[in-house]
Amino acid sequence: MRRRPGIGGLQTAAAARDQYRLLGENVAKLRTDLMKEQLATFRSQLEEFARKHKNDIRKNPSFRSQFHEMCAKVGVDPLASNKGFWAELLGIGDFYYELGVQIVEICLATRSLNGGLIDLQELCKLLRQKRKHDREAVSEDDCLRAISKLKTLGSGFEVISAGKKKLVRSVPTELKKDHNEILELAQAQGYVTVDEVERRLSWTHGRAIDSLDTLLEEGLAMIDDGHRDGKRRYWFPCVSSISSFGV
């Protein structure tokens, strides 16, 4: 028969567990304190780096993107406040605020053409044209950061993916999977036909018509009936260049 441990043995085991627990807590605290110390050091070095390279951060989009990545790794958000240390040092809070305003203006100006859905590259191109006299160059990364700040304001702005393209949505339209598939298909020529949707996506005629009609109602598609083959083209400005419209 196995003997049960006595009271003394139980107390000794409990004391050992308490010691192990305290040791574990002390090790965890030491690690936490060390991490906090390292983060504080990194942030201090980041501030010194920002002071030294502030002109490059302001003027060079690639350098600015790398700087944002460095900030993210140590939990610093230079865009969190327009009145904080980073905004005063770099002025990038105002830079992204200005970008956001200009992005809103472009989206409003092109909404009648694209229904509130615009290709991100096209948006950046129009933004650069609008800012051609400004000293700071603008990258796609800058546009995405400015849009992310607009999104936090509950403005309805959002970046969505359709195939290989990123589209900026400025209206509260909810695109379903079928709609995204049509937009992806349209990227090859800028338009689709009902026959093409049925053949390429293996859809029924009713499914194709229903999805295309919804996109028309939302203002995301335009009809073109002027062709000899008699096939209606559904054009999608959001996956075609609209710079020629003079926005």
Side-chain angles (χ1 to χ4, degrees):
M1 274 180 75
R2 295 179 59 187
R3 294 178 58 188
R4 292 184 179 180
I7 295 176
L10 290 173
Q11 289 176 338
T12 302
R17 283 197 300 271
D18 287 341
Q19 287 180 344
Y20 283 128
R21 179 177 56 78
L22 288 172
L23 178 62
E25 290 175 354
N26 287 335
V27 170
K29 186 177 185 303
L30 285 172
R31 287 178 176 172
T32 301
D33 291 343
L34 181 61
M35 287 179 64
K36 287 180 179 178
E37 185 178 335
Q38 288 176 337
L39 281 175
T41 301
F42 287 151
R43 288 180 182 179
S44 177
Q45 292 173 343
L46 192 62
E47 290 175 11
E48 184 60 33
F49 177 87
R51 287 190 180 96
K52 184 178 179 180
H53 299 284
K54 64 179 181 181
N55 287 332
D56 291 320
I57 293 171
R58 286 177 176 175
K59 296 178 181 179
N60 187 319
S62 178
F63 199 93
R64 187 162 55 243
S65 176
Q66 293 174 358
F67 174 72
H68 278 294
E69 290 178 9
M70 289 169 57
C71 288
K73 289 178 181 177
V74 293
V76 171
D77 183 1
L79 306 183
S81 170
N82 279 345
K83 298 180 181 179
F85 164 80
W86 295 101
E88 292 176 6
L89 174 64
L90 302 174
I92 55 177
D94 292 338
F95 170 73
Y96 284 104
Y97 171 78
E98 182 180 313
L99 278 190
V101 171
Q102 292 172 335
I103 286 172
V104 170
E105 290 174 349
I106 291 170
C107 288
L108 288 175
T110 59
R111 189 172 290 178
S112 62
L113 301 172
N114 56 35
L117 198 63
I118 184 171
D119 178 17
L120 176 62
Q121 291 182 346
E122 179 72 11
L123 173 61
C124 291
K125 181 179 178 182
L126 294 172
L127 188 60
R128 293 187 192 106
Q129 290 176 1
K130 194 177 186 71
R131 296 174 56 86
K132 59 185 176 183
H133 298 302
D134 293 335
R135 289 179 298 176
E136 299 98 339
V138 176
S139 68
E140 189 173 299
D141 182 76
D142 289 327
C143 290
L144 289 171
R145 292 185 188 280
I147 292 166
S148 72
K149 295 305 165 186
L150 289 173
K151 187 177 178 181
T152 61
L153 298 176
S155 56
F157 279 75
E158 186 178 11
V159 179
I160 61 175
S161 295
K164 297 180 180 179
K165 285 185 177 289
K166 290 181 179 177
L167 305 176
V168 179
R169 182 171 62 191
S170 60
V171 291
T173 301
E174 183 178 354
L175 294 179
K176 297 181 180 178
K177 183 174 180 291
D178 282 3
H179 304 145
N180 280 329
E181 289 189 29
I182 289 177
L183 290 175
E184 184 176 352
L185 184 61
Q187 289 173 26
Q189 306 174 92
Y191 70 87
V192 297
T193 64
V194 174
D195 289 346
E196 184 181 13
V197 171
E198 293 175 16
R199 185 180 71 259
R200 296 284 298 278
L201 300 179
S202 299
W203 287 3
T204 63
H205 181 76
R207 182 178 179 182
I209 290 293
D210 182 62
S211 295
L212 288 168
D213 282 348
T214 299
L215 291 167
L216 276 173
E217 291 170 5
E218 295 292 346
L220 300 177
M222 301 170 66
I223 289 176
D224 179 9
D225 287 328
H227 294 271
R228 292 181 178 179
D229 59 11
K231 292 182 179 180
R232 171 172 287 183
R233 267 70 164 166
Y234 293 81
W235 284 90
F236 295 90
C238 61
V239 295
S240 309
S241 175
I242 57 173
S243 301
S244 58
F245 287 89
V247 175

